[in-house]
């Protein structure tokens, strides 16, 4: 109808005045949920052409958009991630400029061009409403770092005044099980969770079994991972021994799906399992960069759900009773000093009254996550100090005590580690 009327009033369509033509053009159909802007063809072409011209004429996107001008760090910093909000970067800019006023998942910084009430409708339709905080921006008090023994002691003695801060994040990553984890809170319930795990974990000859396991595992890894270069024995002591030894420990303790030469039915290799657990650990306990927090949390949630479901399936199979489960357990038993753990530890957790889901999400997964990277980091820090100019003076004494293999010598080495 519009086209017919226009042709009667003008000689040719190209003669129509620009304002009249823009108003009478048919608008695009809006995408719901999604893009609600639905301009006419000419307007959208004009806007996009102008945007393209601005980008092409901006030296920051052309001749200066390289590592020479921005440095490797800067070039990496400005890269977008299509897995996060289709590559949108506005939240990163806002959080870099105003980290003390916006939560890392605030809808106000992730989608600032749309009012929150409309954003909520869109995100609800997309199934992403729970991914964001809908609180209005407000000043966030700066974190106070305690670096002294006196400060740490003061804080730990006042658990009711100073509460742990990672409970909410673990809940985001692991659901209710993450909130129920023994380190997620300071309530009586969380204290009981600690007692449950402690009673099952610290059994008779616990220290001796752990010592034998690590001695056996580290020697095996040193032989497997070392190589000769220019006539010298070389090994990446952190990546291939320190990190991996703790992965084997956790896998044997909690029957994690680790794939090795002895256990070909596993799912993840040593390095894969370590990286998965490390990502979850960093998101839960060391999430200090506001601009990187949102993608980190979502990556950690994805891998924690993947690993958790595998563990839950295994725990469910262990929960079976009868002759079949007894036969299957024989094939799952650890063939090392931790033979009393693994599938047997899962059974003890189930016998304590916990269900399959609780055992998986509030005990096994978060405990393994809290354990492995923490110990791996401590191992590397110990090496770094005792191989430094300041610490190498103690190496002869440590070497002497290590060869003595007595309880007294082990206690001395423990004190060197604790220092």
């Amino acid at each position: 109808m519009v086209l017919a009327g226009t042709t009667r009033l003008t000689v040719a369509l190209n003669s129509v005045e620009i304002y009249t033509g823009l108003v009478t053009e048919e608008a695009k159909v809006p995408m719901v949920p999604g893009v609600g802007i639905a301009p006419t063809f000419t307007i959208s072409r004009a806007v996009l052409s102008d945007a393209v011209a601005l980008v092409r004429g901006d030296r920051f996107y052309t001749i200066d958009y390289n590592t020479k001008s921005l440095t490797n760090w800067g070039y990496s910093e400005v890269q977008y991630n299509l897995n996060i909000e289709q590559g949108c970067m506005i939240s990163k800019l806002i959080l870099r400029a105003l980290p003390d006023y916006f939560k890392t998942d605030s809808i106000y910084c992730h989608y600032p061009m749309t009012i929150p009430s409309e954003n909520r409708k869109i995100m609800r339709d997309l199934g992403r409403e729970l991914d964001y905080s809908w609180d209005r921006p407000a000043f966030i008090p700066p974190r106070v770092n305690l670096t002294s023994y006196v400060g740490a002691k003061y804080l730990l003695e006042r658990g009711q005044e100073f509460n742990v801060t990672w409970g909410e994040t673990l809940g985001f990553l692991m659901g209710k099980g993450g909130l129920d984890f023994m380190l997620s809170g300071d309530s009586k319930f969380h204290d009981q969770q600690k007692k449950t795990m402690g009673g099952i974990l610290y059994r008779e000859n616990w220290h001796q079994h752990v010592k034998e396991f690590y001695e056996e595992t580290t020697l095996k890894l040193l032989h497997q991972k070392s190589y000769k270069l220019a006539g010298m024995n070389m090994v990446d002591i952190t990546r291939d021994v320190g990190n991996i030894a703790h992965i084997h420990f956790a896998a044997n303790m909690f029957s994690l799906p680790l794939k090795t030469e002895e256990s070909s039915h596993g799912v993840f290799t040593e390095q894969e399992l370590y990286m998965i657990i490390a990502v979850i650990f960093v998101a839960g306990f060391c999430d200090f960069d506001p601009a990187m927090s949102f993608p980190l949390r979502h990556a950690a949630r994805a891998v924690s759900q993947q690993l958790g479901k595998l563990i839950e399936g295994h725990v469910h199979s262990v929960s079976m009773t009868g002759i079949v489960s007894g036969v299957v357990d024989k094939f799952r038993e650890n063939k090392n000093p931790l033979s009393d753990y693994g599938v047997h530890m899962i059974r003890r957790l189930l016998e304590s009254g916990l269900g399959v889901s609780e055992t998986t999400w509030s005990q096994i997964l978060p405990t393994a996550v809290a354990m492995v990277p923490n110990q791996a980091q401590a191992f590397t820090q110990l090496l770094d100090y005792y191989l430094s100019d300041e610490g190498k003076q103690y190496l002869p004494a440590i070497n002497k005590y290590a060869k003595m293999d007595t309880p007294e010598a082990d206690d001395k080495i423990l004190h060197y580690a604790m220092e």
Side-chain angles (χ1 to χ4, degrees), residues 358-371:
E358 293 173 293
T359 299
T360 301
W361 298 100
S362 71
Q363 297 289 349
I364 295 177
L365 180 58
T367 302
V369 166
M371 175 193 300

Side-chain angles (χ1 to χ4, degrees), residues 267-282:
V267 178
F268 302 108
T269 65
E270 298 165 329
Q271 296 295 343
E272 288 172 342
L273 189 55
Y274 180 80
M275 287 304 299
I276 288 172
I277 289 179
V279 167
I280 303 172
F281 176 85
V282 172

